[in-house]
Amino acid sequence: MDKILEVASIFLPDEKIISSEPLGNGHINSTFLIKTDKGQYTLQKINTSIFADVDGLMSNIQSVTHHIRKKAQAIGQDPQRATLHFLSAPDGKKYIFFDGDAYRMYKFIDSAFTIEKMENPEHFYQSGIAFGNFAQDLSDFDASKLNETIKNFHNTPSRYNDFEKAVENNLSGRLSEVSSEVEFVRARRAFMSMFMDRLNDGSLPMRVTHNDTKLNNVLFDEKTGKPAAVIDLDTVMPGSYLFDFGDAIRFGATHAAEDEKNLSLVDFDLGLYESFTKGYLETCAKSLTKVEIDLLPYASIMLTLECGMRFLSDHLNGDTYFRISREGHNLDRARTQFKLVSEMEKHVDDMRNIIQKYI
Ligand code: ADP
Ligand code: GN1
Ligand code: MG
């Protein structure tokens, strides 16, 4: 029997498993749609070389989804569609180890869709509402109760140190081909501590954040076109609202894919920036402090630079972190991010004006 079907049957001993098919475009975990005689589910193989503490990870997700479900119920929304529902394994845990790998299963939210590439600004506006609501729903959740599933995840200076190690080690032997990209990163070293310095001295508040706010992590309702649920909750942990805002812009305020090879197609679209900002600030501006508002225009530059630096580090390390599907894939991804950074840097004042408009 196929391994994925076998794992599915452990979570669903009373259902006849019919089929499995791969789902999504994630770089880390592997996701499958499982169909049975009674319904549809999502099965995920957790990448345990990245998420080593599966118990801590699942405990975070359990408490966060419980909190969101209660909030949805309180305003009369269908709690089954507002967040993820994990199935219990026979031992009561929300995950199992099978053949050395960790798996979890949750209910498939039907009549919903995800978007991989920006086509309609309305969707980006709606995703701003989704992530703004996510921030708002969790604003009364004690961040210190969450495990840090990946240490220093959006600590940009720490990511820079990792990058310098990757340059020094040059495990892939590719360093000589990427000298202009390395210079691009090094030229922005001083900027990188802007958020971490303020998180460390307490002037920037620690929040509960999603930390992976890509457009494809919002499920949209097919009937209404409005957000149903925010998914992909592995990196929910203490962080800054600047991370979630910045990462969403990084991925969505362009018409190009993250791995576009033709850099002339990689644009930074201020109209799209405004769509997201409007949705985000309409829902959570009331929770933002002055320091957060003042730093918001730099958020997308920081997160895009950090992500590009991570892709470039992985290219230098020999592609051991992000899943790739072609030679040089991580370098292509790094280059789109650096192109976006260059474009965003020209528009800090425009970004500030847009933010002010919706505060
Ligand atoms: P990844 O880490 O691979 O990005 P996700 O949790 O984001 O994993 O899932 C990948 C894709 O699978 C999503 O973009 C979405 O299209 C689909 N998906 C995941 N969970 C569900 C769900 N509960 N209901 C419907 N679709 C889902
Ligand atoms: C990874 O798993 P996925 O594709 O949602 C990564 C994010 C990056 C993103 C870039 C745990 O997210 O941090 O921003 O790729 N997730 C992890 O596309 O490292
Ligand atoms: Mg995802």
Side-chain angles (χ1 to χ4, degrees), residues 113-143:
F113 62 95
T114 41
I115 303 159
E116 290 297 334
K117 227 173 107 187
M118 188 54 66
E119 264 142 31
N120 178 353
E122 172 67 15
H123 287 142
F124 206 29
Y125 167 64
Q126 292 295 342
S127 86
I129 292 179
F131 287 119
N133 277 331
F134 183 87
Q136 204 52 45
D137 282 351
L138 292 167
S139 58
D140 58 347
F141 187 104
D142 180 0

Side-chain angles (χ1 to χ4, degrees), residues 22-33 40-44 51 83-85 104 106-116 212 214-219 229 231-234 323:
L23 210 57
N25 282 312
H27 302 337
I28 311 291
N29 294 324
S30 307
T31 310
F32 303 88
L33 169 64
Q40 301 194 96
Y41 303 86
T42 309
L43 181 70
Q44 258 175 344
F51 297 105
T83 192
L84 296 173
H85 287 259
R104 64 181 169 214
Y106 40 98
K107 288 187 185 157
F108 187 79
I109 299 174
D110 59 15
S111 310
F113 62 95
T114 41
I115 303 159
E116 290 297 334
D212 186 8
K214 292 200 281 199
L215 180 66
N216 58 13
N217 287 331
V218 176
L219 278 184
I231 60 168
D232 210 343
L233 304 173
D234 295 317
R323 185 180 299 131

Side-chain angles (χ1 to χ4, degrees), residues 25-29 50-51 150 153-154 159 211-212 214 216-217 232 234-235 247 250-251 258 307 310-311 321-322:
N25 282 312
H27 302 337
I28 311 291
N29 294 324
I50 292 172
F51 297 105
I150 299 180
F153 193 61
H154 285 311
R159 294 290 189 181
N211 296 305
D212 186 8
K214 292 200 281 199
N216 58 13
N217 287 331
D232 210 343
D234 295 317
T235 49
D247 195 56
R250 171 189 81 74
F251 192 82
E258 189 179 67
C307 193
R310 292 174 64 199
F311 287 140
Y321 187 95
F322 297 104

Side-chain angles (χ1 to χ4, degrees), residues 23-91:
L23 210 57
N25 282 312
H27 302 337
I28 311 291
N29 294 324
S30 307
T31 310
F32 303 88
L33 169 64
I34 304 291
K35 292 185 179 159
T36 77
D37 58 340
K38 295 194 181 128
Q40 301 194 96
Y41 303 86
T42 309
L43 181 70
Q44 258 175 344
K45 183 162 98 176
I46 304 168
N47 185 329
T48 47
S49 57
I50 292 172
F51 297 105
D53 175 13
V54 179
D55 213 66
L57 171 77
M58 292 311 291
S59 139
N60 276 6
I61 300 181
Q62 277 303 109
S63 43
V64 164
T65 51
H66 178 73
H67 196 88
I68 294 174
R69 239 186 323 273
K70 278 196 311 192
K71 291 278 166 92
Q73 246 158 347
I75 57 164
Q77 276 179 353
D78 177 359
Q80 295 291 327
R81 292 180 71 76
T83 192
L84 296 173
H85 287 259
F86 286 86
L87 273 63
S88 295
D91 65 359

Side-chain angles (χ1 to χ4, degrees), residues 119-262:
E119 264 142 31
N120 178 353
E122 172 67 15
H123 287 142
F124 206 29
Y125 167 64
Q126 292 295 342
S127 86
I129 292 179
F131 287 119
N133 277 331
F134 183 87
Q136 204 52 45
D137 282 351
L138 292 167
S139 58
D140 58 347
F141 187 104
D142 180 0
S144 70
K145 294 221 159 67
L146 292 175
N147 302 295
E148 221 183 328
T149 51
I150 299 180
K151 296 253 176 279
N152 293 318
F153 193 61
H154 285 311
N155 180 335
T156 314
S158 159
R159 294 290 189 181
Y160 176 78
N161 291 339
D162 296 342
F163 160 78
E164 284 295 354
K165 271 182 225 142
V167 169
E168 193 184 323
N169 296 336
N170 187 19
L171 292 175
S172 64
R174 293 160 162 167
L175 181 60
S176 60
E177 299 153 26
V178 297
S179 41
S180 65
E181 287 79 9
V182 169
E183 284 321 305
F184 185 93
V185 171
R186 285 183 172 156
R188 286 156 180 80
R189 173 148 175 40
F191 166 72
M192 291 181 201
S193 57
M194 185 189 256
F195 298 170
M196 283 318 292
D197 285 351
R198 288 165 179 80
L199 275 169
N200 289 334
D201 71 18
S203 55
L204 187 58
M206 196 59 98
R207 311 286 200 168
V208 176
T209 48
H210 183 283
N211 296 305
D212 186 8
T213 47
K214 292 200 281 199
L215 180 66
N216 58 13
N217 287 331
V218 176
L219 278 184
F220 290 90
D221 193 295
E222 263 169 20
K223 277 195 219 99
T224 63
K226 298 215 159 101
V230 167
I231 60 168
D232 210 343
L233 304 173
D234 295 317
T235 49
V236 175
M237 52 183 158
S240 164
Y241 285 163
L242 300 170
F243 303 162
D244 281 1
F245 180 82
D247 195 56
I249 298 295
R250 171 189 81 74
F251 192 82
T254 174
H255 297 93
E258 189 179 67
D259 58 356
E260 175 60 57
K261 282 165 97 72
N262 180 353

